């Protein structure tokens, strides 16, 4: 079967990345990880990926100052070198320029810890608690020009319990993220494969 060459972009812990790598250990999974890359040289997830035998790289965004596109061009060169066909952002904490988003349009997905379109951006769990919402959750979506915008592929819902804090809710949502992301990435791959020219 055809497997799309997958690059995962991270900035830190990389627990979602790990969930994707585990799913892709199944030879029937429609994505084959070829690269895990970070904008932070010290991202913990880089070590996890290397231990799993996956190629790793970093492009330190701090070396590029305010020039986001120059940072992205360096990252893009590494992605191309690896033969990347689909990108999964997994806790990648850089806002992307229209140049990068356009280049990878329809081939890049993200996981966000809220029930989009609610709570784009940061502090999603606290905002859900403060609003008195009955549930929180997570969403996997195609990446488009706006931050945490773009068509939702799949979501998982988590009830908010009395006494929940940002931390307790985040921990329960994270468990669901690790189940949702591999499923949603597989759905994204199926869609891409269905439209891919031979
Ligand atoms: C996750 O909650 C993800 O939804 C958000 O950032 C966090 C990353 O965690 N975008 P990890 O690095 O995958 O452990």
């Amino acid at each position: 079967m055809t497997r799309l060459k997958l690059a995962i972009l991270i900035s830190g812990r990389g627990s979602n990345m790990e969930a994707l790598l585990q799913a892709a250990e199944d030879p029937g999974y429609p994505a084959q990880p070829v690269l895990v890359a970070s904008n932070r040289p010290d991202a913990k997830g880089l070590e996890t990926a290397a231990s799993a035998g996956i190629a790793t790289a970093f492009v330190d965004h701090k070396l590029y100052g305010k020039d986001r596109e120059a940072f992205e061009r360096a990252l893009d060169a590494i992605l191309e070198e690896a033969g990347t066909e689909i990108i999964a952002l997994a806790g990648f904490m850089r806002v992307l320029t229209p140049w990068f988003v356009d280049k990878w349009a329809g081939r890049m997905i993200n996981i966000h810890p809220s029930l989009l379109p609610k709570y784009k951006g940061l502090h999603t769990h606290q905002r859900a608690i403060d609003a008195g919402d009955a549930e929180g959750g997570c969403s996997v979506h195609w990446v488009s020009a706006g931050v945490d915008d773009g068509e939702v592929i799949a979501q998982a819902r988590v009830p908010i319990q009395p006494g929940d804090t940002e931390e307790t809710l985040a921990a329960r949502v994270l468990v669901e993220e690790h189940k949702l992301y591999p499923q949603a990435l597989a759905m994204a791959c199926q869609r891409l494969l269905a439209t891919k020219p031979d």
Side-chain angles (χ1 to χ4, degrees):
M1 75 168 284
T2 312
R3 305 182 75 191
L4 292 176
K5 294 193 177 79
L6 166 69
I8 307 171
L9 298 186
I10 64 169
S11 295
R13 168 178 68 175
S15 68
N16 278 289
M17 170 213 74
E18 212 177 339
L20 296 180
L21 295 185
Q22 278 169 12
E25 281 173 13
D26 175 354
Y29 192 75
Q32 164 98 59
V34 293
L35 178 70
V36 171
S38 171
N39 62 306
R40 292 187 176 275
D42 59 352
K44 186 86 180 58
L46 289 177
E47 290 168 30
T48 314
S51 310
I54 307 298
T56 62
F58 63 83
V59 179
D60 185 351
H61 69 274
K62 290 190 183 138
L63 301 180
Y64 297 86
K66 288 193 162 56
D67 193 344
R68 285 183 185 271
E69 198 174 305
F71 157 73
E72 290 172 354
R73 286 191 186 272
L75 180 62
D76 186 66
I78 292 171
L79 292 165
E80 290 291 359
E81 175 76 26
T84 303
E85 294 175 297
I86 187 164
I87 297 174
L89 305 178
F92 185 65
M93 300 302 284
R94 301 300 297 163
V95 172
L96 298 166
T97 69
W99 173 74
F100 191 86
V101 172
D102 283 354
K103 175 159 179 202
W104 292 96
R107 298 182 293 158
M108 178 159 59
I109 67 174
N110 181 43
I111 186 156
H112 182 72
S114 79
L115 293 171
L116 291 172
K118 280 188 155 184
Y119 313 128
K120 296 172 181 175
L122 298 175
H123 308 297
T124 54
H125 303 303
Q126 190 61 56
R127 286 155 70 199
I129 292 168
D130 290 347
D133 291 356
E135 53 187 8
C138 49
S139 307
V140 177
H141 64 96
W142 293 97
V143 176
S144 64
V147 173
D148 301 322
D149 219 340
E151 183 193 336
V152 170
I153 299 165
Q155 292 183 315
R157 313 180 94 82
V158 172
I160 296 178
Q161 292 167 2
D164 252 340
T165 64
E166 186 169 19
E167 288 74 28
T168 58
L169 180 56
R172 290 206 315 285
V173 171
L174 192 64
V175 172
E176 297 307 314
E177 290 184 42
H178 297 162
K179 294 184 222 159
L180 181 73
Y181 210 178
Q183 292 168 6
L185 172 61
M187 290 162 70
C189 288
Q190 308 295 6
R191 181 152 122 187
L192 258 179
L193 286 166
T195 55
K196 198 176 171 223
D198 291 329

